[in-house]
Amino acid sequence: MKNARSLLFVVAGLALSSCSTSTCPFAPAAKPGKIEHIVLMWLKKPGDAGQRERLIAAAKSLKADIKEVKSLDVGLAVPSDRPVVDSSFDVGLVMSFNSKADLASYEKNPVHVKAVTEILKPLTRKLQVYDISTK
């Protein structure tokens, strides 16, 4: 019985240690009311590595320069053969904000407006935005 209980703790520990926060049912939930701002971008020149890098650098500068942005993940689409996955975009980002008010402030921030006007609009043919309030 003691060995079975020890084994149970070892297995549970291994399961928990292999969890990522986005996929593990045991991971702590996101803070309620937090806003996840998801932006998918399609380039006018699909697959252009230089333009992808410009979008990624611009996104990273938004995180560095705008205090309301609490976290940022940015990168390229993961190719997939699964019919449910749309991997046709070039660059995607996920930004986190503490509140809807912080997101609204970010949208009006001159640094954001300049990036949209000078980089995002000239390089992209399509944008898709999703905003999610965590529960």
Side-chain angles (χ1 to χ4, degrees), residues 4 10 14 48 75 83 121 127 132:
V10 169
L14 288 173
D48 185 293
K121 285 184 179 180
L127 291 175
I132 301 167

Side-chain angles (χ1 to χ4, degrees), residues 8-21 23-28:
L8 177 63
F9 283 116
V10 169
V11 170
L14 288 173
L16 288 173
S17 68
S18 66
C19 286
S20 78
T21 57
T23 59
C24 182
F26 307 108

Side-chain angles (χ1 to χ4, degrees), residues 34-54:
K34 186 173 115 182
I35 304 296
E36 298 294 334
H37 179 63
I38 302 156
V39 181
L40 305 178
M41 297 165 265
W42 286 260
L43 291 171
K44 289 178 182 175
K45 295 180 181 178
D48 185 293
Q51 290 185 358
R52 284 178 173 174
E53 287 307 314
R54 283 189 67 201

Side-chain angles (χ1 to χ4, degrees), residues 37-45 50-62 72 74-75 89-93 95 106-107 111-129:
H37 179 63
I38 302 156
V39 181
L40 305 178
M41 297 165 265
W42 286 260
L43 291 171
K44 289 178 182 175
K45 295 180 181 178
Q51 290 185 358
R52 284 178 173 174
E53 287 307 314
R54 283 189 67 201
L55 289 175
I56 290 169
K60 289 179 179 180
S61 74
L62 295 174
L72 166 73
V74 60
F89 62 95
D90 287 278
V91 176
L93 67 81
M95 286 182 172
Y106 159 80
E107 290 171 345
V111 174
H112 173 255
V113 172
K114 182 177 179 180
V116 168
T117 304
E118 295 181 4
I119 299 169
L120 196 63
K121 285 184 179 180
L123 295 181
T124 60
R125 65 177 170 85
K126 178 183 174 184
L127 291 175
Q128 187 66 51
V129 178

